[in-house]
């Protein structure tokens, strides 16, 4: 399996696993996985009505750019990076896109 397909599977499988657990305090919120394999964009969205308020949140956003997984958004407390590394993604192929380019050299991960 080539690297891009492997990374696509890791991202999608992770989001499916996360979305399968429904928080008890958010019974009316649905999780949706959005995948664009052609352009390598992946999101997990939460949406619905809760206590009279409309909720629409991007929980995760990942891109695969130049053979690296870019973490664009993670609003959870989960250490997704650790999970991806356990599944075989080397640190050199992970970019913390939500961190300033000036800070990225100090993260221990790829800069771009």
């Amino acid at each position: 399996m080539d690297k891009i397909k492997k990374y696509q599977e890791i991202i999608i499988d992770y989001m499916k696993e996360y979305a399968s657990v429904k928080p008890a305090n958010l019974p009316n919120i649905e999780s949706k996985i959005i995948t664009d394999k052609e352009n390598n964009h992946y999101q997990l969205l939460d949406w619905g009505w809760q206590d009279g308020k409309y909720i629409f949140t991007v929980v995760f956003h990942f891109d695969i750019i130049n053979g690296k997984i870019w973490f664009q958004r993670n609003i959870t407390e989960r250490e997704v990076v650790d999970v991806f590394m356990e599944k075989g993604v080397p640190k050199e192929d992970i970019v913390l896109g939500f961190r300033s380019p000036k800070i990225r050299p100090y993260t221990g991960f790829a800069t771009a």
Side-chain angles (χ1 to χ4, degrees):
M1 172 182 305
D2 81 355
K3 181 167 83 167
I4 300 301
K5 286 185 181 185
K6 177 183 174 184
Y7 289 177
Q8 289 172 336
E9 283 186 13
I10 289 170
I11 291 168
I12 293 167
D13 288 347
Y14 181 80
M15 290 192 304
K16 284 180 180 177
E17 180 268 324
Y18 183 89
S20 72
V21 179
K22 195 163 192 76
N25 64 333
L26 299 172
N28 301 318
I29 302 301
E30 291 186 52
S31 294
K32 298 288 183 183
I33 296 170
I34 311 295
T35 62
D36 175 1
K37 287 185 177 181
E38 184 177 328
N39 296 297
N40 283 309
H41 306 296
Y42 309 89
Q43 287 188 339
L44 184 128
L45 307 174
D46 280 350
W47 71 52
W49 287 90
Q50 189 68 33
D51 298 326
K53 294 181 184 175
Y54 182 67
I55 306 295
F56 183 90
T57 304
V58 177
V59 179
F60 297 116
H61 181 105
F62 305 103
D63 292 313
I64 300 174
I65 303 170
N66 296 324
K68 297 178 183 178
I69 298 176
W70 283 65
F71 284 64
Q72 307 291 17
R73 183 166 176 89
N74 173 9
I75 64 166
T76 72
E77 294 181 11
R78 289 187 171 198
E79 296 295 334
V80 183
V81 170
D82 293 339
V83 174
F84 283 20
M85 288 190 307
E86 288 171 8
K87 294 186 179 288
V89 180
K91 290 178 109 172
E92 301 79 35
D93 281 356
I94 296 173
V95 179
L96 303 180
F98 57 85
R99 297 282 183 225
S100 164
K102 292 180 182 179
I103 294 173
R104 286 186 208 147
Y106 307 105
T107 64
F109 297 97
T111 57

